[in-house]
Amino acid sequence: MTQPVQIILAGVDPAEPDNWRLRNYLKRDGYVALKKIIANKIPPEAIIEEVKKSALRGRGGAGFPTGLKWSFMPRQYEGDKYLVCNSDEGEPGTFKDRDIMQYNPHILIEGMLIAAYAMGVKTGYNYVHGEIWKTYERMEEAVEEARQAGFLGNKILGSDFSFQLYNHHGYGAYICGEETALLESIEGKKGQPRFKPPFPASFGLYGKPTTINNTETFASVPWIIRHGGEKYLQLGRPNNGGTKIFSVSGHVNKPGNYEVPLGTPFAELLEMAGGMRGGRKLKGCIPGGSSMPVLPGDVMMKTDMDYDSIAKAGSMLGSGAVIIMDDTTCMVKALERLSYFYYEESCGQCTPCREGTGWLYRIVNRIEHGKGRPEDLDLLDNLADNIQGRTICALGDAAAMPVRAMLQHFRDEFAYHIEHKKCMV
Amino acid sequence: MINIEINGKQVTVPKGGTVMDGARQLGIYIPHFCYHKKLSIAANCRMCLVQVEKAPKPLPACATPATEGMKVFTHSQQAVTAQKGVMEFLLINHPLDCPICDQGGECQLQDLAVGYGTSESRYQEAKRVVVNKNLGPLISTDMTRCIHCTRCVRFGQEIAGIMELGQAGRGEHSEILAFVGQTVDSELSGNVIDLCPVGALVSKPFRYSARTWELSRRKSISPHCGLGSNLIVQIKQNRVMRVLPRENEEINECWLSDKDRFAYEGLNSDDRLTTPMIKRNGQWHTCDWQEALVFTVEGLKSVMEKHGASSVGALGSAHSTLEELFLLQKLVRMLGSGNIDHRVRQSDFRADDSLEGVPWLGMNIAEIEQLNSILIIGSTLRKDHPLLAHRFRQAVKKGAQLSIINPIDDDLLMRTAHRAIVAPADMVHMLAQVLKAVAETKSLEQVSAHIKQAITAVSITDVARAIAKSLTTNPSTAIFLGNLAQHHPQYADIHAIAHLIAKVTGANLGFLGEAANSVGAYLAGAIPGRGVLGSEIKSDQNGFQFNAARMLGHDANAGPACQAYILMNLELELDAYNPQQAMKSINDAEFVISLSTFKGSITSYADVVLPIAPFTETSGTFVSTEGRVQSFNGVVTPLGDTRPGWKVLRVLGNLLQLDGFDYETSEQIRAQVIPAEDAITRYLNNNLKDYQVNISSKKLDGLQRIGEVPIYQADTIVRRAGSLQLTRDAASPKAWMSTMMLEQLGAREGEIVRLRQGNGEAQLEVACDDGIPLNCIRIACAHPHTSSLGAMFGEVSVEKL
């Protein structure tokens, strides 16, 4: 059995009230990576190279190679450039970034510092989800500590490198987790995704080149710099470097965050989480947050937890929110709840999502309440087709994918609901 | 340049161009709602999804940049499936109320639903209902029909310069609305009606009055501001039902100001005259044309016999046609009088003899957008020239520096680089400062010794230096004189110094023409001392040559003015620079003839009223502020016994037995003014020669009035446009002062005060505006509530009640 290998959560003790503080972070090798870079005047290109080597992939959901993203940033650009941390963790089932910021905030600050150094950025924003106010306050305290200690601000550690970091909290709109909507929100506008291209690397915050990464992505960087990209890669699997925090929720005995190497078999992760609640059977699992396709229990049990393996199994690793459903779960009801979420959270900007999410929800709601019609299942499939890939941002896809997967794997259950006007479980 | 292929056809688009641009070049129609050529790309309706080779999913044509070798299919199965899918989503919550929707027949959604919709809906759930909003008297809403394309929102942000509409709420609950409790008050607001692709925003005045397919479309030209907007006038049963823009990229683009769009309501007002009227023994009688014209001729002859021909004065309006103004000046000059003018709101005519040509914009309208530095002197820009203001706004957006010298500090809804807000009496001095500051870096060789001497004592303020720097350091610059400058009591000096600054800096000098035919009136010879195309008329030929001020007694030192007046298209109690004195002159006259479209209060001072046709009922020509000659035909037949003004003047000429009044068509008259081959631009010139500038201004005691013309009081038609009169811009005038002046007066905002000017008084509410210079009070003119007061500028006393 794989032991939990901890990079981000190593030495982190939520029970200890001062564990998050700078002095304790320093004891956990905190800011060693930053000091190393500054002391040795490591060239920025070398840092990006190291991150590329590590095969670190974006932990926010899309899994885009981080080093590659950093290399898109126009390094020679004279004007303002921005670094943004996406801590707007809104994906249902995901609660890892909250814990990173709550219990180990300096690792995020150090990660952002290294990224800023590598890309020649002087200003950064950390956009914190609007519904975790305490965490936002914790980040504020941590940033202040870092400023006092000379890790943030002008001429960091006596070098020519300066970096200002600001925390910015949202107001709880899911759509603001979409990176361009997040930028709009920081600019003080209504959080609505932008059409891409242009991408943030050329036209980002206030129209300036901007790099946006997830909290966990930044938090992985100090270790990579301390130990080298190669070593990080070896923790995981080829193309799936390092560890990943999985937020395990649902019908397990010990729901919570588990940091394990990528490639850890799902069965082991489930065991770490205390196994199925009441020893019941695993019916289905959403392996990457609510917008990813559900997989049946038996498929999941044969799958390893890394980007490529989960994709092969027919879903996506996403943000790493593992939602466990046992055999008492009504999949119609589960989908109704998911569809309601996307219906409520659609920003309303573009047609297929604004109109389609409501339509999807209403049909599933009808089926759940015994008013389904035989033609509804084909209609749902077709509507999901008409939404997916037709919208400005991925929220349309996020609303469509759960519907399609539920119908693919649990169609009988939906048909039963329609025919018998009640649940089969 | 980038080469792409759309549906197998090759097309080249500029770098940064989109698939939509390419398709438009090829004439391939891609269905769309949110895309609009004049607005930013939103890509939110998703109707323009097309197939692009190698792209995994359909892409929006409006937002997808063309890349070299790209292959696009707009009618492939993937494209059409996507488009139909979007159409289905657009229709599920759209009410099926086309039969009662005003947009029916000109609805983009309706049209595209024919091609991309199905006859039956798969949507079986309840439809969304959205509460309507009150956006003011011009725009009616049916928000349930809205498809959230945000064209109206983008219009406000990008064209009108103010975001009065926005999309609030999320997802299905998102709605287009104004800020809480607010209406849409932009002077360009009506354009959102055209932009709305569905029946969510429709015209309130036009609503439910006709179906679009019942309307005939006739071309016309706007008779209001100097821009010369091209119009489509829509008529039904010989009645003007509404006005829409006729696209002309060089003039109004695809826009119209609200004044141009909604003023048509005035044409159908109850105040229209329909028969001639004469006053016999103090009693008004309606009569036929024969009797009225004979009465007119007899009255005129009687005055001329008693007081001589030079006792006749003629005043026209710059809102009248070239043909009417030409015949008016011809008539009065052939009678033997030189008293003709159209500049009834001008007060300073000292530069008349120095004009080198007809004052005009000095450039083409579209060229404004290319300027790098602009100085506007004395203008309520947005209200006087709503669409020119938009051109300036676009210039500023492209980086032009805008400076203003003005007695009021209204929000122009664009960035102003430098603002010199000074009392009217200090404007000349401010310009002198700019001239002196310009001289610090530019040679004053071309400037006379007299001026150099005059400005030696002037000390330069920071703002004057900044304005000068902006004008001297930018490549493409222009100076414009607005309406307020043209009405100013030191207009001649303002003009002269602006001319010098322009000369020294190389800037273009221009005038923002007040009325549709401000340039045309000059060309037609409707000014004293100058005939057609500026030809000189020596005063010894025709005795006196009174200008408007002289005719209307504004010059207090002069003797009595005229004994007979021919007024055309004027309501002097509202249109004159000093209505008090103007009405005294008129009332003192023996015989007053009014050619007018509306009754108004004309019968209180005229002796004969001859009903003439407005622009929709006559053919004619306007020459716009950029010198563009635009002729038009009547779009409906004249109301009642109304006749086109040119025909009335022709018959009058004949009855007065004057030669050369046998025109058969308005084209024949036009040909007398506008040379057939010759471009008229050579008669347009803003330069002054040999004018002695005087930069010292009279020291004024007490409060100085700043009298601006309210946007919806500017001409006779718009004054009667019911819906426009309900807008905020048409609110009753207030007496605006700075906080300090209010404190001195001991008055509070909202109190009623008594204002005295000359021999008249008015009672108005006081209001606070700290943008008003010290010792100034802003009181609108051209309004019934203030017409008892005197000149647009000058001293006013205020008392608390």
Side-chain angles (χ1 to χ4, degrees), chain B residues 152-393:
Chain B
C152 54
V153 178
R154 285 174 284 145
F155 173 80
Q157 290 172 304
E158 295 160 21
I159 306 295
I162 180 167
M163 187 180 173
E164 291 185 299
L165 288 170
Q167 190 172 14
R170 255 189 350 222
E172 225 184 63
H173 312 296
S174 54
E175 295 180 31
I176 299 291
L177 39 77
F179 286 99
V180 180
Q182 301 288 302
T183 49
V184 173
D185 302 319
S186 158
E187 62 283 349
L188 300 175
S189 69
N191 291 300
V192 300
I193 297 166
D194 295 341
L195 287 172
C196 184
V198 295
L201 305 175
V202 295
S203 163
K204 213 174 235 183
F206 173 70
R207 200 173 190 219
Y208 296 149
S209 62
R211 304 300 327 214
T212 58
W213 54 86
E214 303 171 319
L215 300 170
S216 318
R217 299 164 70 86
R218 307 271 160 85
K219 293 177 182 177
S220 192
I221 303 295
S222 166
H224 306 290
C225 76
L227 188 82
S229 289
N230 287 194
L231 309 179
I232 293 281
V233 179
Q234 294 205 299
I235 61 162
K236 179 184 167 186
Q237 290 163 350
N238 203 40
R239 187 182 164 96
V240 174
M241 302 305 289
R242 69 170 172 178
V243 167
L244 298 175
R246 179 155 52 93
E247 202 168 321
N248 189 332
E249 202 51 31
E250 293 170 335
I251 305 172
N252 51 307
E253 301 163 83
C254 55
W255 315 122
L256 275 188
S257 66
D258 287 356
K259 181 152 69 168
D260 285 346
R261 183 185 298 270
F262 295 110
Y264 73 87
E265 281 191 294
L267 300 169
N268 304 322
S269 95
D270 293 339
D271 197 36
R272 277 293 297 272
L273 289 163
T274 52
T275 53
M277 293 166 75
I278 54 173
K279 191 160 79 176
R280 270 196 217 278
N281 309 321
Q283 288 292 311
W284 279 101
H285 305 276
T286 56
C287 60
D288 61 18
W289 274 99
Q290 182 63 25
E291 191 180 354
L293 290 168
V294 168
F295 182 86
T296 305
V297 168
E298 280 171 0
L300 262 180
K301 279 184 172 163
S302 144
V303 170
M304 287 197 293
E305 275 162 24
K306 254 196 277 179
H307 306 283
S310 56
S311 67
V312 178
L315 289 164
S317 159
H319 297 282
S320 289
T321 64
L322 183 85
E323 292 78 357
E324 289 164 335
L325 288 159
F326 170 77
L327 288 187
L328 182 67
Q329 64 86 28
K330 185 170 179 178
L331 184 102
V332 75
R333 283 185 167 130
M334 299 225 16
L335 284 175
S337 167
N339 307 330
I340 169 80
D341 212 338
H342 69 280
R343 299 164 296 178
V344 286
R345 285 200 192 104
Q346 188 174 322
S347 58
D348 180 6
F349 295 84
R350 287 175 293 154
D352 260 16
D353 292 337
S354 309
L355 291 174
E356 289 196 28
V358 175
W360 68 301
L361 188 63
M363 58 173 64
N364 292 331
I365 291 163
E367 286 169 353
I368 289 174
E369 290 189 27
Q370 313 307 326
L371 293 168
N372 305 119
S373 175
I374 300 159
L375 169 62
I376 297 177
I377 303 162
S379 178
T380 46
L381 187 64
R382 279 172 55 204
K383 304 304 172 188
D384 291 339
H385 309 281
L387 277 177
L388 277 178
H390 145 68
R391 293 280 191 173
F392 285 114
R393 189 170 296 126

Side-chain angles (χ1 to χ4, degrees), chain B residues 519-530:
Chain B
V519 172
Y522 270 89
L523 292 172
I527 45 168
R530 307 267 175 159

Side-chain angles (χ1 to χ4, degrees), chain A residues 178 180-181 183-184 187 189 192-196 198 200 203-207 349 392-393:
Chain A
E178 200 279 342
T180 55
L183 296 180
E184 292 279 301
E187 289 180 11
K189 299 173 188 158
Q192 284 189 337
R194 300 175 182 167
F195 180 81
K196 289 153 289 229
F203 189 92
L205 188 61
Y206 302 112
Q349 185 181 195
I392 290 178
C393 77

